[in-house]
Amino acid sequence: MSELPAPRLHLDDLFVGQTFHSGEYLLDEVSLKDFAREFDPQPFHLDHEAALPTLFGGLAASGWHTAAISMRLMVDSVPIAGGMIGAGVEVSWPQPTRPGDRLRLTSSIIEISPSRSKPDRGWIKLESLTFNHKDELLQRLVSRILVFRRST
Amino acid sequence: MSELPAPRLHLDDLFVGQTFHSGEYLLDEVSLKDFAREFDPQPFHLDHEAALPTLFGGLAASGWHTAAISMRLMVDSVPIAGGMIGAGVEVSWPQPTRPGDRLRLTSSIIEISPSRSKPDRGWIKLESLTFNHKDELLQRLVSRILVFRRST
């Protein structure tokens, strides 16, 4: 609770190249397996021995768990006024997330498109890269997010 | 436990247009808020009153929750041998998922690409549409998934 509340950014405040850095999120093995049991119950996400002979070569988090944690880090680090409302995303997972990984997110605005029909809003494209504590890239996410102008 | 185990499909067994239908997954309000509290703690995912004046017009699930549930339905309904290992996805959310929605998934193979360098495997593109019990389209997911040939 030592941080001041972040300013809430409107479309007027954003620029291409603007970058946001998150804090860290530690993913432990219990949480990794709990998420997999509920949403992605495949052997390589549930059991180390069963994961060894697979492409993962050991226990790996569901990509959707990496994505959900990345969303949490984004909510905590990208202070868009009115919240983050995404219409669509592209996600890739260059490397698996492992138990014990500490995840952090770097998000950069790569495109800004004012709405043609509604002058009070626009869309941004945000590229968010999720790294672990060894600086390995675990996920690349590109989101299309609605942002409002400051009301005058 | 009344169903027979599904056959495990290899690349040899797949064709463009092949379609898979899942069972249903009921999303209740408690689970919706639990997921949001952990991964997407924004007012429109946590509180009905706070969600009313937003674009959602009422409590809505995190898109990442819809995605995670859709993965669960995919694991249960698309019997790829060796499991579903995705390299990348595109996701869009045409409508929000609401508490009480019963989700189901229809997945169709839209592309098959044998690997050029590794003859034992290939990639498929799978389009998975998530509907609720009112047949409203909640999510469109296109996944690129690794599939192995049957070993000879």
Side-chain angles (χ1 to χ4, degrees), chain B residues 102-106 129-133 135-138:
Chain B
R102 293 195 305 275
L103 277 56
R104 61 183 175 77
L105 194 78
T106 299
L129 303 178
T130 307
F131 298 94
N132 64 11
H133 55 290
D135 289 330
E136 294 166 330
L137 179 61
L138 306 179

Side-chain angles (χ1 to χ4, degrees), chain B residues 16 26 28 44 51 56 68 79 85 89 92 97 99 106 109 137 144:
Chain B
V16 170
L26 170 64
D28 63 41
F44 35 74
F56 292 114
I85 301 182
V89 298
S92 60
T97 301
T106 299
I109 297 177
L137 179 61
R144 194 161 167 267

Side-chain angles (χ1 to χ4, degrees), chain B residues 65-88:
Chain B
H65 199 176
T66 303
I69 292 169
S70 298
M71 182 67 204
R72 175 56 190 255
L73 294 172
M74 201 186 303
V75 169
D76 292 345
S77 63
V78 186
I80 300 294
M84 311 275 287
I85 301 182

